Amino acid sequence: MSVAADLALFVDGAWQAGEGRDSRPVVNPATGAAIADLPVATTADLDAALAAAERAFASWRATDANARAAILHKAAALMRDRADTIAALLTREQGKPIAEARGEVAGAAQLFDWYAEDALRDYGRVLVRPAGQRSVVVRQPVGVVAALSPWNFPIYLMAKKVAPALAAGCAVISKPPEETPACTLALARCLDDAGLPKGVLQVVFGVPDTISRHLIASDIVRKVSFTGSVPVGQHLMRLAADGVKRMTLELGGHAPVLIFADCDLERTLDMVVPQKFRNAGQVCVSPTRFYVEEPVYEAFLAGFAARTAQLPVGDGADPANRMGPLANVRRPDAVEALVRDAQAKGARTLAGGERIGNEGFFFRPTLLADVPNEAEIMSSEPFGPVAVTRPFATMDEAIAQANRLPYGLAAFAFTESGRRANLLGDAIEAGMIGINSFAIGGADSPFGGVKLSGFGSEGGAEGYESYTVTKAIHQG
């Protein structure tokens, strides 16, 4: 399989390769070796993308919703037909196990199907008025969208922005991650082959800050959707302020998990350990800060450590492996620094705590116990395969620890008490809370956070509405 053969920009319906453009290497994280060269968009490319999107928006917004829906449904079908090929590209570029990659492709296809139907559910409403008067409220597409998505779920998170925007009638300029171009271009090819009109979707790569500055500065772009770090999100907000551009920001978190003594401990452990190390912990809602009620604390640690030690780690292309490498050369250093800091401040290492081998970007699945709040990892999201644990005595203490940080994306709790579950749902500060479950993201449900974790939602009806503006029309 050749990754290099298909790498290009997609501007105004044309696939444009590297002629006269700078390039950057694409690396396989399982080996650390370069596997392709990715063309970088020039200023002229970005201007062409803006002009094409502006022109295409005028006709796409006027396209019948049934026609838009049919194209999105066809793209979803093509994604499923090509799932094995797309998943292999994803694993080679990003590192996650091939089973997880297939699941990501399936999830992206589901998003396109969901939003194809959501385009047909955009009913608006009629207000009550005296006879002879009519007032209606309608939603219309916001305009051209700049969609900036990350490398941890490159296909799914690109789809989470592109699918609702297209369904609403917007044109999109997508900047997927430069680390994973082939799999994201494969998604764009599905849309192109499904009959998406020329210019409705552009895909560009390059220096992220350069691209975001250029796109956001343009009057053509009316909405920015970004998933990534808090500092970058804050930077993009400043850029968007001059143009008063709409934004959806999902800026990560540091998810607490509250484990109560009345939970089914073995079942809970069977759930939390695979979730912690899914995608090598590079998940914005990854369960990370485990607060465990004192009576079951040591038993929880023993069960977690035993399961962690048995987790097969290696190249994600081998279906026997349950965890792959970290996605890029930066991550092992960052994770190791957090682990060493915690150890120096008194944390016990019950599993892992070190890199694996000399090839690729592997880090051993790690469990740290008795981690003090002074350790940096208790306040900074590790975004890697590290679980940190502390005991608690009372529910009030656990809630205080869960809410201690300025992040509020996801949180989880495990208890058999229905009353406690209700209280936790009210008291924990997070945009999404899972009680005895990690199933908090679906095509039909809003996904977003509070505090520094961002604002706005992707997924569900809320995700569709974020690409629309509300208009009231009053007729006397």
Side-chain angles (χ1 to χ4, degrees):
M1 179 188 304
S2 173
V3 172
D6 294 327
L7 296 191
L9 310 177
F10 185 53
V11 177
D12 202 9
W15 299 93
Q16 302 177 7
E19 299 88 353
R21 298 180 177 87
D22 292 336
S23 64
R24 56 165 289 170
V26 179
V27 173
N28 181 342
T31 65
I35 54 176
D37 289 315
L38 174 68
V40 171
T42 64
T43 299
D45 290 326
L46 298 179
D47 287 338
L50 286 163
E54 181 180 36
R55 184 178 62 251
F57 171 60
S59 58
W60 182 244
R61 67 175 299 176
T63 300
D64 181 78
N66 287 286
R68 295 202 304 267
I71 291 172
L72 298 190
H73 277 311
K74 186 173 181 180
L78 289 172
M79 291 183 69
R80 293 186 179 96
D81 290 343
R82 303 170 185 179
D84 287 345
T85 298
I86 298 173
L89 293 172
L90 171 55
T91 291
R92 191 177 184 194
E93 293 178 323
Q94 199 271 347
K96 66 182 57 179
I98 190 66
E100 292 185 22
R102 291 192 187 100
E104 183 172 339
V105 177
Q110 184 183 38
L111 285 168
F112 278 95
D113 276 335
W114 168 265
Y115 283 112
E117 294 301 314
D118 223 24
L120 307 179
R121 293 189 286 260
D122 191 5
Y123 303 126
R125 56 196 173 100
V126 179
L127 306 181
V128 176
R129 290 292 183 269
Q133 299 179 23
R134 182 62 54 87
S135 293
V136 297
V137 180
V138 298
R139 285 193 294 267
Q140 295 180 328
V142 66
V144 174
V145 174
L148 315 174
S149 51
W151 47 258
N152 59 327
F153 288 90
I155 297 174
Y156 185 75
L157 293 179
M158 179 180 174
K160 211 163 195 178
K161 302 175 188 303
V162 171
L166 295 181
C170 298
V172 181
I173 303 174
S174 172
K175 194 211 78 63
E178 286 70 27
E179 292 90 343
T180 57
C183 62
T184 48
L185 286 170
L187 186 156
R189 287 184 182 278
C190 289
L191 284 162
D192 189 32
D193 292 344
L196 189 70
K198 175 180 175 180
V200 175
L201 173 67
Q202 330 289 322
V203 182
V204 296
F205 299 95
V207 178
D209 187 52
T210 300
I211 292 178
S212 59
R213 285 181 182 273
H214 195 91
L215 296 181
I216 295 173
S218 171
D219 290 338
I220 293 171
V221 171
R222 296 308 311 159
K223 162 75 188 279
V224 180
S225 180
F226 170 73
T227 301
S229 71
V230 171
V232 175
Q234 292 169 325
H235 170 63
L236 296 180
M237 287 182 71
R238 296 185 189 101
L239 295 179
D242 287 342
V244 195
K245 299 181 190 293
R246 293 188 171 218
M247 300 195 79
T248 299
L249 297 175
E250 192 268 278
L251 304 180
H254 200 338
V257 188
L258 309 187
I259 307 292
F260 289 88
D262 68 340
C263 76
D264 183 333
L265 189 60
E266 293 301 311
R267 178 177 178 273
T268 298
L269 285 163
D270 286 343
M271 295 173 65
V272 300
V273 174
Q275 283 294 323
K276 170 63 253 181
F277 300 118
R278 179 170 68 105
N279 198 20
Q282 299 166 125
V283 183
C284 54
V285 296
S286 179
T288 298
R289 294 182 292 140
F290 290 85
Y291 298 102
V292 186
E293 197 166 11
E294 288 174 350
V296 295
Y297 182 59
E298 291 300 332
F300 177 84
L301 293 177
F304 201 119
R307 288 165 173 81
T308 299
Q310 297 170 2
L311 194 72
V313 180
D315 190 335
D318 183 345
N321 290 323
R322 299 293 300 276
M323 193 183 96
L326 295 168
N328 57 60
V329 69
R330 304 182 300 275
R331 296 312 307 151
D333 288 342
V335 171
E336 185 173 44
L338 290 170
V339 170
R340 296 292 172 262
D341 173 75
Q343 291 169 331
K345 291 173 178 172
R348 291 188 287 151
T349 304
L350 301 186
E354 59 192 7
R355 302 183 191 216
I356 304 175
N358 298 315
E359 184 179 84
F361 311 137
F362 292 94
F363 199 93
R364 201 172 299 282
T366 298
L367 173 63
L368 301 179
D370 306 337
V371 185
N373 281 336
E374 294 72 28
E376 185 180 353
I377 199 169
M378 293 301 288
S379 299
S380 298
E381 182 181 20
F383 220 63
V386 184
V388 296
T389 59
R390 287 177 59 84
F392 71 83
T394 68
M395 186 170 77
D396 286 345
E397 177 190 351
I399 292 171
Q401 290 300 315
N403 293 339
R404 181 178 64 86
L405 300 182
Y407 309 106
L409 185 61
F412 307 94
F414 290 82
T415 177
E416 292 301 307
S417 167
R419 181 174 184 275
R420 180 185 288 128
N422 289 335
L423 292 172
L424 291 170
D426 288 338
I428 295 175
E429 297 169 353
M432 299 166 289
I433 299 175
I435 307 292
N436 298 327
S437 174
F438 289 105
I440 61 171
D444 59 350
S445 61
F447 189 104
V450 299
K451 301 192 285 189
L452 288 187
S453 290
F455 54 81
S457 293
E458 295 182 320
E462 293 82 358
Y464 178 90
E465 291 169 6
S466 74
Y467 293 97
T468 65
V469 292
T470 302
K471 178 183 288 186
I473 304 171
H474 304 279
Q475 182 177 345

